């Protein structure tokens, strides 16, 4: 089963749906196949959170399953403090979790896919263009 994280641009920062899905996964429960939803405050924040460097880190975590942030930093050829800062931001948004592995914190991505909705505005639908 493919786990999908749905991201939308909105005015709320309610992460409860996402947090509930993460909690269920943590205790080994099956989760609703409907995508968990993360609401990002605005386009500026979305652009900061989903920079190419962030996507590179997420992809490296999924593909390589690093045992620590230091190992992840080596994989992407970056300095560990830079990677730590970015990973902590991704953790704050629920995009990455940490699992303790001895003294190391292992970054984990629990979803396989990100689906993004960006509403450009409200427009009345003209029947001739439907």
């Amino acid at each position: 089963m493919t786990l999908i994280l749905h991201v939308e641009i909105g005015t709320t920062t309610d992460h409860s749906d996402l947090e509930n899905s993460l909690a269920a996964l943590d205790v080994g429960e099956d989760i609703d196949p409907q995508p968990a939803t993360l609401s990002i405050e605005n386009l500026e924040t979305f652009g900061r959170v989903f920079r190419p460097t962030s996507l590179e880190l997420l992809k490296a975590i999924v593909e390589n399953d690093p045992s620590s942030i230091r190992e992840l930093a080596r994989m992407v050829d970056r300095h560990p403090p830079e990677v730590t800062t970015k990973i902590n931001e991704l953790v704050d948004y629920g995009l990455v979790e940490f699992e303790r592995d001895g003294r190391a914190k292992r970054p984990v991505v629990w979803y396989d896919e990100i689906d993004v909705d960006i509403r450009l505005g409200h427009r009345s639908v003209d029947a001739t263009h439907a």
Side-chain angles (χ1 to χ4, degrees), residues 1-4 33 112-113:
M1 168 171 49
T2 300
L3 296 174
I4 300 172
D112 305 303
E113 215 173 279

Side-chain angles (χ1 to χ4, degrees), residues 86-105:
K86 193 60 182 172
I87 289 295
N88 284 332
E89 180 179 33
L90 296 174
V91 166
D92 289 344
Y93 278 93
L95 295 165
V96 173
E97 290 187 309
F98 284 127
E99 287 185 359
R100 282 280 184 206
D101 189 7
R103 290 182 43 183
K105 292 192 295 186

Side-chain angles (χ1 to χ4, degrees), residues 57-75:
L57 291 172
L58 293 172
K59 187 174 179 178
I61 293 168
V62 169
E63 291 179 351
N64 301 301
D65 194 27
S67 62
S68 66
I69 293 176
R70 184 172 298 282
E71 183 179 359
L72 176 61
R74 279 193 298 271
M75 290 174 181

